[in-house]
Amino acid sequence: MRKKILMGHNFAREGFSELSDEFEMIYPDDRLFRRDDVLNLIRDADVLVPNFSFRTDKEIIDAGKKLKLISNFGVGYDNIDVAYAAQQGIVVTNTPQSVLEPTAELCFAIMMATARRIGYYNTKLHNDERVDWDLFGDLGVPLYGQTLGIYGMGRIGQAVARRAVASGMKIIYCNRKPLAEKIERQYNARYVDFDTLLAEADILSLHAPSTAETFHLMGEQEFKKMKPSAIFINTARGALVDEQALIAALENKEIFAAGLDVYEHEPKIPDALRRLENVVLSPHAGTKTYAGRIEMEREVAKNIINFFNGGQVDRVN
Ligand code: 8YV
C-alpha cells in the first residue's frame, strides 16, 4: 500500500511530481482543509505537509496515529509544536535552501523601496496625489555608504549581506555567536552586541526565527536606541516585534521609516501602520513567486523521499 501524504494546502504540485509513484497525496478541494477535515484525514496519514498558516498543534499531532513525518513547507516552523512532535517520535523537516535567495531578494527590495521612498511615491502617483517634485522635496536616503545592521546572520542574513556589500553598504551583525573570520571577511562584517547594533545601524534588518527568546525582541526600549534617521526592516516573523511599539516609534519619529513583510497577527495589519506613509508593506511575500513555490515543493518532496529511504533530510527536531 502506498504511504499517504496529507497536503495542508492545494499546492501548485509541479514540484511534487517525484512523489506521485510512491505516495498517495491527499489535497483539499478548496484552497485549504477545514480543521475538522484535517483531524479526520490525518488519522491515516504517514506524512503531513503544513505551511505557515497551518497550525500543527498537539491536537493534530495526537490525531495523527500513523504520522511519522511533518515536512514543513517553509523554513520557519513556529507553526508546529516541534517539541511535542519529537516526544511522539515524529520527525519535523523544513525547507532552508529553497527560501534562501527569494527571501533575501524580497528583503532587499523592501529595503530599497523604503530607503528610496518608492513605496511612498508609488502610492501617491497611482492615486494622483501630490508628490514634491522639487530638487529638495520628499527626499529619500541612500543605501550606498550606509551601515546595515543584521540581527541573525544565518543563511538568509548572509544572503542579504551579500546583496548589501554589492550595493556599497557596511555590515554589522548580531548573532548567537560570531561567524568564522573567513566568512566575516567575505562581507567585511563586524560582530557587535545588540545595543551597538541598534545604535549604529542606519538600516536594521531582522533574520531570526520566532522563538520564546526572540518574542518582542524589538520593543519600546529597543526602538528608542535606534537613530532617528534609521530604517527598520522585518521580513522574518511578526512576533519578533511589538507592533504597537513600532507604530509609536514611527509616529513619534524615533525612527525614519519601516519596511515590513510580516506582522504580529497576519493577515491583519493594524490601521495605524497602513496609514503611515513612511511604511512599505508587503503580504508575507518572501517566497511569493511561482518559481520559488515550486522550489519549496521540491525541497519538501526531497525531505519526504529521503526520510523513507534513509537519505539526508533537513531535520529540525
Ligand atoms: C513561506 C516563510 O511563505 O519559509 C518561511 O518560513 O515564511 C515563507 O517562505 C511560508 O512559510 C509558507 O508556508
Side-chain angles (χ1 to χ4, degrees):
M1 223 173 56
R2 289 191 305 169
K3 294 199 167 53
K4 284 192 183 161
I5 307 175
L6 184 62
M7 295 292 186
H9 194 281
N10 203 340
F11 291 100
R13 309 182 191 193
E14 196 184 321
F16 290 144
S17 55
E18 281 191 46
L19 293 171
S20 48
D21 290 344
E22 262 186 79
F23 298 90
E24 181 186 338
M25 289 173 273
I26 303 150
Y27 290 98
D29 290 333
D30 299 326
R31 219 158 51 91
L32 304 167
F33 280 118
R34 294 197 344 258
R35 185 157 174 108
D36 285 356
D37 293 332
V38 174
L39 288 170
N40 192 24
L41 289 165
I42 203 161
R43 280 192 240 156
D44 288 333
D46 299 280
V47 182
L48 172 67
V49 179
N51 71 310
F52 171 68
S53 52
F54 188 115
R55 298 274 134 200
T56 308
D57 52 21
K58 287 195 177 70
E59 192 185 14
I60 288 189
I61 292 170
D62 279 339
K65 297 283 176 236
K66 292 171 65 186
L67 202 59
K68 295 162 195 72
L69 173 66
I70 300 173
S71 184
N72 194 42
F73 183 86
V75 68
Y77 45 85
D78 43 313
N79 52 316
I80 302 168
D81 191 335
V82 169
Y84 190 66
Q87 266 178 41
Q88 305 308 309
I90 298 166
V91 169
V92 180
T93 59
N94 68 346
T95 58
Q97 199 53 45
S98 51
V99 305
L100 176 57
E101 297 300 338
T103 308
E105 188 172 277
L106 182 100
C107 173
F108 217 71
I110 290 189
M111 206 184 288
M112 284 181 161
T114 311
R116 297 303 305 269
R117 304 190 68 179
I118 296 168
Y120 169 80
Y121 301 148
N122 186 58
T123 308
K124 290 278 175 191
L125 295 177
H126 269 289
N127 293 317
D128 207 12
E129 286 173 16
R130 193 182 163 275
V131 172
D132 193 345
W133 289 68
D134 184 78
L135 285 185
F136 293 92
D138 278 350
L139 296 174
V141 294
L143 294 188
Y144 186 83
Q146 301 288 96
T147 297
L148 173 64
I150 298 182
Y151 184 91
M153 195 65 156
R155 299 190 218 205
I156 297 177
Q158 288 183 43
V160 170
R162 174 157 43 80
R163 285 164 171 80
V165 170
S167 294
M169 302 180 82
K170 299 171 208 133
I171 312 286
I172 53 176
Y173 74 100
C174 185
N175 209 27
R176 254 172 287 164
K177 48 183 189 229
L179 299 174
E181 237 173 83
K182 196 173 136 207
I183 302 176
E184 276 193 341
R185 266 203 305 275
Q186 215 174 308
Y187 310 113
N188 204 6
R190 183 162 56 91
Y191 181 70
V192 295
D193 61 27
F194 189 36
D195 274 355
T196 310
L197 190 84
L198 294 170
E200 289 189 11
D202 295 308
I203 297 174
L204 174 66
S205 189
L206 305 184
H207 298 286
S210 170
T211 62
E213 293 91 78
T214 60
F215 179 75
H216 282 193
L217 171 84
M218 293 299 299
E220 196 187 328
Q221 292 314 312
E222 288 69 28
F223 286 115
K224 283 196 195 313
K225 289 176 186 164
M226 291 176 70
K227 297 180 186 176
S229 55
I231 292 174
F232 174 71
I233 305 290
N234 189 10
T235 56
R237 282 291 183 265
L240 272 61
V241 181
D242 176 345
E243 220 160 53
Q244 293 310 315
L246 170 62
I247 292 166
L250 288 159
E251 285 177 345
N252 301 334
K253 308 216 174 335
E254 285 161 14
I255 59 172
F256 174 66
L260 307 171
D261 186 45
V262 289
Y263 309 89
E264 260 202 280
H265 308 289
E266 280 175 38
K268 264 192 130 114
I269 302 179
D271 286 347
L273 262 187
R274 287 193 293 107
R275 276 196 296 269
L276 284 161
E277 289 186 324
N278 52 346
V279 178
V280 170
L281 304 170
S282 64
H284 200 139
T287 49
K288 215 167 163 58
T289 67
Y290 186 73
R293 293 287 185 234
I294 299 308
E295 279 309 307
M296 289 171 78
E297 288 186 0
R298 290 212 173 94
E299 202 167 11
V300 165
K302 178 209 76 179
N303 280 324
I304 296 173
I305 291 167
N306 285 358
F307 175 80
F308 288 105
N309 295 336
Q312 212 183 320
V313 296
D314 300 300
R315 186 173 178 159
V316 301
N317 69 343

